[in-house]
Amino acid sequence: MTVKEMTQAASIAPEPVREGRRFIPQADIYESSDELTVLVDMPGVDPKDIDVRLEKGVLHIHGKAPARQAEDLEYVLREYEVGDYSRNFDVGDVVETRGITAEHRDGVLTLHLPKSENLRPKRIEVQAK
């Protein structure tokens, strides 16, 4: 599956039903010869509140941002919303599941998805005879 197909599948993948606000986080996906890298915006989410799973070829990403409301404050402007972040990507058999890594920094979740060995480019040496 190409990155383009993965992105298209993400837009039609079923989303879990949860009570409260739910956001589909913005994501960037880029590809190198060895891996796919997925960057997902998840502002206000603590890394311990992020759940990433790969099940049946679908990468599920979920995170919960807690409310930042203080009872003794009167807001002049309130634009920041909180709730569940949820996004799914169909990766099929493109990814080597044992090598997946994830890190969270400055509100961005970064996933490194190593490509399956059969999808990686291979240089074939030509032998002189």
Side-chain angles (χ1 to χ4, degrees), residues 15-34:
E15 298 290 336
V17 177
R18 299 189 190 278
E19 231 177 88
R21 300 283 307 189
R22 190 185 76 209
F23 305 100
I24 299 172
Q26 298 292 309
D28 288 337
I29 302 171
Y30 59 91
E31 181 175 15
S32 69
S33 59
D34 294 333

Side-chain angles (χ1 to χ4, degrees), residues 35-55:
E35 73 176 16
L36 297 170
T37 302
V38 181
L39 303 169
V40 183
D41 287 340
M42 300 180 87
V45 178
D46 190 296
K48 71 178 186 296
D49 294 328
I50 298 174
D51 183 35
V52 179
R53 298 171 191 256
L54 182 63
E55 296 178 37

Side-chain angles (χ1 to χ4, degrees), residues 121-127:
K122 293 178 183 61
R123 178 155 174 23
I124 299 168
E125 188 175 326
V126 177
Q127 298 183 7

Side-chain angles (χ1 to χ4, degrees), residues 74-87:
E74 183 178 327
Y75 286 90
V76 175
L77 175 67
R78 189 171 179 180
E79 294 179 340
Y80 183 81
E81 296 186 59
V82 295
D84 287 357
Y85 289 91
S86 186
R87 190 82 188 255

Side-chain angles (χ1 to χ4, degrees), residues 52-100:
V52 179
R53 298 171 191 256
L54 182 63
E55 296 178 37
K56 299 180 182 177
V58 178
L59 180 68
H60 302 277
I61 301 167
H62 179 262
K64 180 130 179 93
R68 336 181 273 190
Q69 182 176 5
E71 293 179 20
D72 60 339
L73 293 179
E74 183 178 327
Y75 286 90
V76 175
L77 175 67
R78 189 171 179 180
E79 294 179 340
Y80 183 81
E81 296 186 59
V82 295
D84 287 357
Y85 289 91
S86 186
R87 190 82 188 255
N88 298 321
F89 296 96
D90 183 10
V91 296
D93 59 356
V94 170
V95 174
E96 180 59 51
T97 59
R98 290 181 296 265
I100 296 173

